[in-house]
Amino acid sequence: PIRKGETILVVLLALHRDPTLWGADPERFDPDRFLPATVRARPAHAYTPFGVGARACIGRQFALHVAVIALAQILTRFDIVPNTDYEL
Ligand code: HEM
């Protein structure tokens, strides 16, 4: 229960690694998590890298545009190959 006037903090780092939302291995790199049907099956605010509400990121659209442009520039200039031996 949340009482009137109480402050709530959403810890995005924990939300984005919650196994109830992301499965048993939330740290695994799995782009399929963002397939349209999979996204629709999740609660709307399960993934909020830019925050939500009045103090959410004002650079969100800019950042997403730049990311697409940067990715396109990289993909047209380089051949990307998976490195199966890589360990973080
Ligand atoms: C991938 C890129 C980015 C991510 C993941 C990101 C994420 C975030 C997050 C999580 C917050 C805090 C939201 C909250 O307090 O609830 C925030 C705030 C903010 N971001 Fe970003 N951001 C990104 C890029 C940018 C860019 C490119 C700009 C500006 C050009 C920007 C400007 C801001 C500003 C000014 C705030 C403070 C908003 C406020 O407190 O009213 N961000 N961002």
Side-chain angles (χ1 to χ4, degrees):
I2 301 164
R3 286 182 292 278
K4 186 179 177 184
E6 283 186 337
T7 299
I8 300 169
L9 295 177
V10 177
V11 183
L12 296 181
L13 209 80
L15 176 67
H16 292 166
R17 288 163 180 75
D18 184 343
T20 62
L21 294 166
W22 304 98
D25 190 4
E27 294 281 358
R28 187 168 51 89
F29 176 67
D30 179 8
D32 287 354
R33 297 183 203 278
F34 297 92
L35 289 172
T38 315
V39 170
R40 276 195 299 275
R42 270 196 301 270
H45 295 297
Y47 184 64
T48 58
F50 295 96
V52 288
R55 302 301 299 268
C57 179
I58 59 164
R60 177 184 180 142
Q61 292 306 328
F62 178 71
L64 291 173
H65 280 298
V66 171
V68 170
I69 292 166
L71 191 59
Q73 301 263 334
I74 291 167
L75 292 176
T76 53
R77 283 170 173 75
F78 299 95
D79 290 322
I80 308 294
V81 292
N83 181 349
T84 49
D85 298 332
Y86 178 77
E87 265 184 56
L88 186 64

